[in-house]
Amino acid sequence: MAFQKGYTQVYTGDGKGKTTAALGLALRAAGAGLKVYIAQFIKSGDYSEIKALSRLADRITVEQFGLGRFIKAKPSPEDRAAAQKGLEAIRSALNSGNYQVVIMEEGNVAAMCGLFPVDEILAIMTQKPGDVELVITGRGADARVIDKADLVTEMKAVKHYYQDGVAARVGIEK
């Protein structure tokens, strides 16, 4: 199965659910017989979603290009190099013909933190083959990315509970 037209979707905003929405889309795509590629630009490690997705490894490929640390200031050369590998992997996945859905998880945050310029995301959006769905997640989506996308969903924090500065949520992070 292939898309006649693959769209570019952006999930952004300060509310929770951006990654969850993208993973839900990946799950639905896999269930429909499509192949999905996910590049995680910030995370590194064996998170619960990685464990769950490993059960669908014949349909969903996940690679992590984050170094597992929060970028508070200027990214290190190692952080930038890892992000560049992620961008190369995204381009390869988009053009390989092997995947119908490609997800840049936390791509907006990576650009916002300076791991790569937002122009890299815009170039990927322009170069995306017409029959591949591209999903870009993360808060702080640049206005140009929003303008260029076909579908944009903004997650809004309406009611989030915090305990000791940590957002309470269903499930466990790791």
Side-chain angles (χ1 to χ4, degrees), residues 1-2 35 91-100 102 129 131-132:
M1 179 182 173
K35 292 198 73 177
R91 287 186 183 96
S92 177
L94 280 170
N95 294 306
S96 69
N98 295 330
Y99 301 99
Q100 293 77 45
V102 175
D131 60 348
V132 177

Side-chain angles (χ1 to χ4, degrees), residues 112-135:
M112 189 173 60
C113 289
L115 291 174
F116 50 77
V118 72
D119 289 341
E120 294 277 11
I121 295 176
L122 294 168
I124 286 169
M125 292 170 79
T126 298
Q127 297 161 1
K128 178 191 83 59
D131 60 348
V132 177
E133 193 89 359
L134 174 64
V135 180

Side-chain angles (χ1 to χ4, degrees), residues 46-146:
D46 198 20
Y47 288 87
S48 56
E49 67 262 26
I50 299 298
K51 292 174 188 174
L53 292 173
S54 70
R55 296 177 184 157
L56 298 169
D58 62 322
R59 290 273 167 218
I60 301 175
T61 300
V62 182
E63 291 187 295
Q64 296 179 323
F65 299 97
L67 299 183
R69 56 183 177 235
F70 184 75
I71 301 167
K72 295 179 184 177
K74 186 178 173 184
S76 71
E78 295 83 12
D79 290 319
R80 285 196 182 103
Q84 283 302 313
K85 286 181 184 175
L87 290 171
E88 291 167 19
I90 286 288
R91 287 186 183 96
S92 177
L94 280 170
N95 294 306
S96 69
N98 295 330
Y99 301 99
Q100 293 77 45
V101 178
V102 175
I103 299 173
M104 294 180 69
E105 203 252 330
E106 299 291 2
N108 294 319
V109 174
M112 189 173 60
C113 289
L115 291 174
F116 50 77
V118 72
D119 289 341
E120 294 277 11
I121 295 176
L122 294 168
I124 286 169
M125 292 170 79
T126 298
Q127 297 161 1
K128 178 191 83 59
D131 60 348
V132 177
E133 193 89 359
L134 174 64
V135 180
I136 306 161
T137 73
R139 64 187 65 230
D142 187 275
R144 295 171 292 167
V145 171
I146 290 171

